[in-house]
Amino acid sequence: MAEYLASIFGTEKDKVNCSFYFKIGACRHGDRCSRIHNKPTFSQTVLILNLYCNPQNSAKSADGSHSTVSDEEMQEHYDNFFEEVFVECEDRYGEIEEMNVCDNLGDHLVGNVYIKFKYEEDAEKAVVDLNNRWFGGRAINAELSPVTDFREACCRQYEMGECTRSGFCNFMHLKPISRELRRELYSRKRRRLGSRSRSRRSHSRSRSRRREYRDNSASLERFRSHSQDKEREGRFGRF
């Protein structure tokens, strides 16, 4: 019996534990769900709830109709957001293995940011600190998530362009970043390892190199300028 219960844990056959919460770290029923949401006490993954605001969903003109945001403007806005959150969290809390942002429209998934750290200790540290901070003028709501395999959490029909539920699907529709930004962000790890192998400098000098990298990063400088001149949305702060 115990083996059978273990084999169906987190699946649709499990009548006690919520399979949606187990797979995607969120459930449309929230606290009203009839099944148990087993919140992890340790995990590599941090969920930041409703952090990303898609301008295509929120931009409205004075008469209440939606204003037009071009695909190019949309991608630049999203890349800027993704870069700031990734760099801030990796530099402050620890190495990131994977970061994903939901493009769903359901309240339990809209704007959710999932950050999978290399070490569970870094994820725990991030949750404690982020819940005392704000972003874009809004308080951050962060928690540990049971999601570690995003292949199981994603909508396969969406990836093939065949999802009929659009943004209201209950599985993740992950919004992609540009290829150039992906190469830049996920190569930071290799650059850091290369620097360590060439020289064993002090911890304070390592921090200086990270600051120098951030200051000299053309893409990050572009985002800072964009934020100052247009909307000042992407700013982390502390209570």
Side-chain angles (χ1 to χ4, degrees):
M1 184 63 178
E3 292 182 1
Y4 172 74
L5 292 176
S7 68
I8 66 170
F9 179 81
T11 68
E12 294 182 3
K13 293 181 180 180
D14 190 342
K15 303 302 181 184
V16 177
N17 303 288
C18 179
S19 61
F20 273 104
Y21 182 80
F22 180 74
K23 287 181 180 179
I24 65 175
C27 170
R28 61 177 177 170
H29 300 295
D31 295 335
R32 302 188 303 276
C33 184
S34 60
R35 301 184 185 185
I36 297 173
H37 292 177
N38 289 291
K39 296 190 175 184
T41 55
F42 55 89
S43 174
Q44 290 175 258
T45 305
V46 173
L47 165 59
I48 308 178
L49 296 158
N50 313 126
L51 186 68
Y52 177 62
C53 295
N54 188 327
Q56 288 182 326
N57 298 334
S58 58
K60 290 186 178 181
S61 58
D63 60 1
S65 61
H66 284 275
S67 60
T68 302
V69 180
S70 69
D71 291 341
E72 291 77 12
E73 290 174 329
M74 181 63 248
Q75 190 64 53
E76 181 183 4
H77 178 278
Y78 177 61
D79 282 353
N80 289 336
F81 164 84
F82 194 101
E83 182 179 14
E84 184 179 25
V85 174
F86 189 103
V87 171
E88 173 77 10
C89 289
E90 186 167 65
D91 286 350
R92 186 176 290 269
Y93 308 121
E95 184 179 329
I96 292 174
E97 288 192 350
E98 188 174 357
M99 175 171 151
N100 293 298
V101 179
C102 288
D103 201 26
N104 303 66
L105 296 176
D107 291 341
H108 63 301
L109 286 175
V110 61
N112 283 2
V113 176
Y114 293 81
I115 305 174
K116 183 180 178 182
F117 289 90
K118 184 174 182 179
Y119 301 108
E120 294 172 349
E121 294 83 358
D122 294 338
E124 182 179 6
K125 178 173 60 177
V127 167
V128 172
D129 188 64
L130 286 169
N131 280 314
N132 292 311
R133 304 184 70 190
W134 51 264
F135 183 87
R138 297 181 295 129
I140 294 175
N141 185 4
E143 61 185 39
L144 292 176
S145 172
V147 180
T148 54
D149 186 353
F150 288 93
R151 292 172 299 179
E152 291 296 319
C154 292
C155 173
R156 292 180 176 84
Q157 286 76 20
Y158 173 75
E159 293 175 349
M160 295 185 292
E162 300 175 355
C163 182
T164 59
R165 301 199 65 186
S166 186
F168 293 97
C169 180
N170 285 321
F171 286 93
M172 290 184 190
H173 289 188
L174 299 183
K175 189 171 182 62
I177 57 175
S178 63
R179 292 181 180 179
E180 295 79 7
L181 180 59
R182 178 168 293 278
R183 284 196 298 267
E184 179 183 338
L185 293 179
Y186 288 100
S187 65
R188 300 174 86 241
K189 171 185 172 183
R190 292 193 293 272
R191 285 198 292 269
R192 286 197 302 271
L193 290 175
S195 297
R196 292 195 194 102
S197 64
R198 288 191 300 269
S199 176
R200 294 289 182 179
R201 295 185 176 91
S202 66
H203 179 66
S204 61
R205 299 178 86 179
S206 296
R207 286 188 299 177
S208 296
R209 286 199 302 273
R210 288 199 296 271
R211 285 197 297 270
E212 182 180 356
Y213 169 81
R214 291 200 300 270
D215 292 341
N216 293 334
S217 171
S219 58
L220 187 55
E221 194 62 40
R222 184 182 67 250
F223 173 62
R224 285 171 178 163
S225 176
H226 176 85
S227 297
Q228 291 169 356
D229 295 340
K230 292 189 176 181
E231 58 192 45
R232 296 184 178 275
E233 179 187 31
R235 296 297 186 188
F236 278 94
R238 186 174 298 280
F239 293 130

